[in-house]
Amino acid sequence: MRTVPGRTDRVVVVGAGLAGLATALHLLGAGREVTVVERAAVPGGRAGRVERGGFHLDTGPTVLTMPDLIEEALAAVGDRLSDHLSLIELHPAYRARFADGDHLDVHTRAEAMESEVRRFAGAREALGYRRLRAWLKELYAVQMRRFIDTNYDSPLRLLHPDVARLAALGGFGRLDARLGRFLADERVRRVFSFQSLYVGVPPARALAAYAVIAYMDTVAGVYFPRGGMHALPRALAGAAARAGADLRYRHRVTRLERTGERITAVVTDRGRIPCDAVVLTPDLPVAYRLLGRQPRRPLRLRHAPSAVVLHAGTDRTWPQLSHHTLSFGTAWKSTFHELTRAGALMTDPSLLITRPTTHDPGLAPPGRHLHYILAPCPNTEIGPDPRAWRELAPRYRDRLLTELERRGLAGLGAAIEEECLVTPADWSAQGHAAGTPFSAAHTFAQTGPFRPRNLVRGVANAVLAGCGTTPGVGVPTVLLSGKLAAARITGPPARRRAPERGGRP
């Protein structure tokens, strides 16, 4: 594995999102002096927080899986997850509601899910679920350390016996077809492939290997941290600060100083910070602009669909909602065509509704409730551009509320006391390419060794982290990107030494 040459004692991490904080913790554990600069007033990046009238709104991810990766980052500085976060395992992880009025609770425990599938779709589907679960476990075991938690220097890294194992498991076939070998009911298959709405590849075209995301969502467990998802970056930032990191908020990076191929300092609007290496976590266009380098690719980078998010603080809630509710329309295949090809808003939308006050009423004023409604939409490369969204936003907001009321959330519009609407125009204003928070799509040509690498040719001591680089989009993979970025500076983990609890060696 290639690593940054020369001295790497002082590292500046640009961005205090999940990737930057994970990077900082792993670097601190290896004895580096770490400064984290963040343009916002608080840590979190995409996993931010907005306060409205006593409602505490998580602005980013709502689903937490693979907490062992949080544990691993904290362990780098001698801490434990339980010291910082109280996690609630969600049962069910999701509730899927369908256009015909039926629903399927998605459990991560095998017996509970088998029983629910049997109730919903019969004994044959329940048996198919058992077989699918075993396949997902095998798929994860083959992929995690070899293909996900790894730094690639060349596609030749794929020349390994595990590739044959992955092929034998059908990982290079199509996701929908592979799921069809286990499950005949198209509605049940949706709960193992709905993640395609966010990663930008329809199940009919996605590699079956991407079912590893379904493993994380439907087998490994789904959790919610008390205090909301923003509690996660707060915990990581607190651990980093106690371990010796210098966290500087409200510092906007303006340029990088360099001598030859080495970055010598990070310059912000509040001063100059000398460094031996730098880790950049902003979206790829911002990072490349700072570096003055745009890596050449044989194919143009394709971006995932975007999303409209309506945060609604209400004076009531609806008993049919779980903590996470997937509200599916009748359409499915045509939805992906609209999102990834036609550039059109979903005519029959599939929506994710999260109600964090289910498990933490303190996120809202007494007697009030918080609902997070996410509607996938085309990114601004193929759909409405930011200017069009500024005009379209209020109409689309009303359209979503009308649709949800039609689906059983009667009186939703009238129940809203506080709200915050986020559209691709807002994602663009935050610097996200193509107006999407989901970055580059997970096509085959943008996965593994073919995804934008975390080392940039022509810059000796800069490393990238975040959802645009390896391994990809999502909380678990972003945490891994921080670990992989740190390894580019410190070398493989086996060469690191952990500090004593509470400080840097």
Side-chain angles (χ1 to χ4, degrees):
M1 182 186 71
R2 288 177 55 202
T3 57
V4 169
R7 289 189 58 178
T8 59
D9 297 334
R10 302 169 302 169
V11 185
V12 175
V13 178
V14 178
L18 298 180
L21 294 170
T23 304
L25 288 167
H26 287 288
L27 288 172
L28 290 162
R32 299 311 192 268
E33 179 183 320
V34 178
T35 301
V36 181
V37 293
E38 167 59 48
R39 65 182 178 179
V42 295
R46 286 171 170 83
R49 170 63 61 86
V50 170
E51 310 287 340
R52 292 282 175 88
F55 293 93
H56 305 276
L57 316 178
D58 284 324
T59 60
T62 62
V63 179
L64 179 62
T65 60
M66 309 299 290
D68 57 303
L69 297 176
I70 307 170
E71 190 81 69
E72 184 178 24
L74 292 168
V77 295
D79 279 9
R80 295 170 300 185
L81 188 153
S82 58
D83 295 333
H84 299 276
L85 286 172
S86 174
L87 297 185
I88 304 165
E89 188 171 5
L90 301 185
H91 301 290
Y94 299 92
R95 173 166 293 160
R97 300 192 66 86
F98 299 93
D100 60 5
D102 209 346
H103 77 275
L104 170 68
D105 281 347
V106 182
H107 296 275
T108 54
R109 294 178 181 173
E111 294 77 11
M113 186 59 179
E114 184 177 3
S115 176
E116 178 68 355
V117 172
R118 183 180 294 109
R119 176 199 67 78
F120 181 81
R124 180 172 294 183
E125 286 294 280
L127 178 60
Y129 161 73
R130 273 286 189 179
R131 293 171 48 235
L132 171 62
R133 185 182 178 94
W135 178 73
L136 290 172
K137 286 184 174 181
E138 286 188 80
L139 195 70
Y140 175 79
V142 170
Q143 286 194 77
M144 185 59 176
R145 293 303 171 191
R146 177 58 52 185
F147 302 110
I148 299 174
D149 186 7
T150 190
N151 273 312
Y152 287 97
D153 292 321
S154 165
L156 295 177
R157 182 78 182 267
L158 292 175
L159 300 179
H160 188 276
D162 280 345
V163 174
R165 292 180 62 197
L166 185 58
L169 286 169
F172 296 112
R174 297 303 175 190
L175 175 60
D176 200 46
R178 177 58 55 169
L179 292 176
R181 294 192 177 196
F182 303 102
L183 302 168
D185 192 311
E186 186 266 348
R187 298 172 302 167
V188 181
R189 291 203 302 272
R190 287 190 194 184
V191 304
F192 296 97
S193 61
F194 73 89
Q195 300 88 351
S196 293
L197 289 165
Y198 316 117
V199 299
V201 187
R205 297 205 314 268
L207 290 180
Y210 295 151
V212 70
I213 306 173
Y215 168 87
M216 297 176 184
D217 272 353
T218 66
V219 176
V222 175
Y223 299 82
F224 179 73
R226 292 195 186 277
M229 285 293 289
H230 187 62
L232 172 55
R234 289 202 312 269
L236 298 180
R242 282 187 288 275
D246 179 6
L247 285 88
R248 304 185 186 185
Y249 299 108
R250 296 190 177 93
H251 280 248
R252 183 179 296 273
V253 175
T254 57
R255 61 188 177 90
L256 305 176
E257 286 186 7
R258 59 191 297 166
T259 300
E261 291 192 347
R262 294 190 72 86
I263 307 298
T264 56
V266 173
V267 181
T268 77
D269 54 2
R270 298 174 65 178
R272 177 181 180 275
I273 309 168
C275 64
D276 300 315
V278 62
V279 179
L280 300 172
T281 70
D283 215 7
L284 291 178
V286 177
Y288 292 151
R289 184 171 66 250
L290 287 170
L291 291 172
R293 297 274 176 172
Q294 178 74 42
R296 294 181 179 178
R297 293 182 59 86
L299 297 174
R300 183 170 175 268
L301 202 62
R302 284 183 50 199
H303 289 88
S306 184
V308 172
V309 179
L310 175 62
H311 302 271
T314 64
D315 62 9
R316 58 166 297 193
T317 189
W318 293 263
Q320 63 265 44
L321 295 178
S322 184
H323 189 111
H324 296 299
T325 301
L326 298 163
S327 177
F328 291 111
T330 302
W332 186 239
K333 292 181 180 179
S334 62
T335 293
F336 290 98
H337 177 76
E338 290 169 336
L339 292 175
T340 64
R341 298 290 185 180
L345 299 177
M346 294 181 290
T347 53
D348 187 12
S350 289
L351 308 170
L352 171 64
I353 307 162
T354 298
R355 186 178 60 184
T357 43
T358 302
H359 289 95
D360 193 344
L363 294 172
R368 299 300 188 262
H369 305 270
L370 190 55
H371 302 86
Y372 170 112
I373 301 157
L374 185 149
C377 68
N379 63 51
T380 57
E381 287 181 337
I382 66 169
D385 64 17
R387 180 179 298 179
W389 268 110
R390 292 185 187 99
E391 184 177 323
L392 175 62
R395 297 200 306 273
Y396 192 62
R397 174 255 189 207
D398 292 345
R399 177 174 156 187
L400 286 176
L401 292 178
T402 298
E403 180 63 23
L404 286 169
E405 293 198 10
R406 190 187 66 80
R407 294 184 186 185
L409 303 188
L412 173 58
I416 295 176
E417 295 183 339
E418 295 283 348
E419 68 178 273
C420 177
L421 183 69
V422 183
T423 75
D426 300 294
W427 303 123
S428 292
Q430 293 175 29
H432 301 319
T436 174
F438 304 118
S439 195
H442 277 263
T443 61
F444 177 76
Q446 296 178 180
T447 299
F450 310 113
R451 198 164 182 82
R453 295 184 190 173
N454 56 11
L455 293 180
V456 179
R457 190 181 301 275
V459 186
N461 62 337
V463 187
L464 306 182
C467 58
T469 185
T470 186
V473 177
V475 172
T477 40
V478 164
L479 291 170
L480 281 173
S481 82
K483 172 187 171 185
L484 296 175
R488 290 292 196 184
I489 293 171
T490 67
R495 288 168 50 187
R496 307 181 194 179
R497 59 189 180 91
E500 293 182 5
R501 186 178 176 85
R504 195 176 69 253

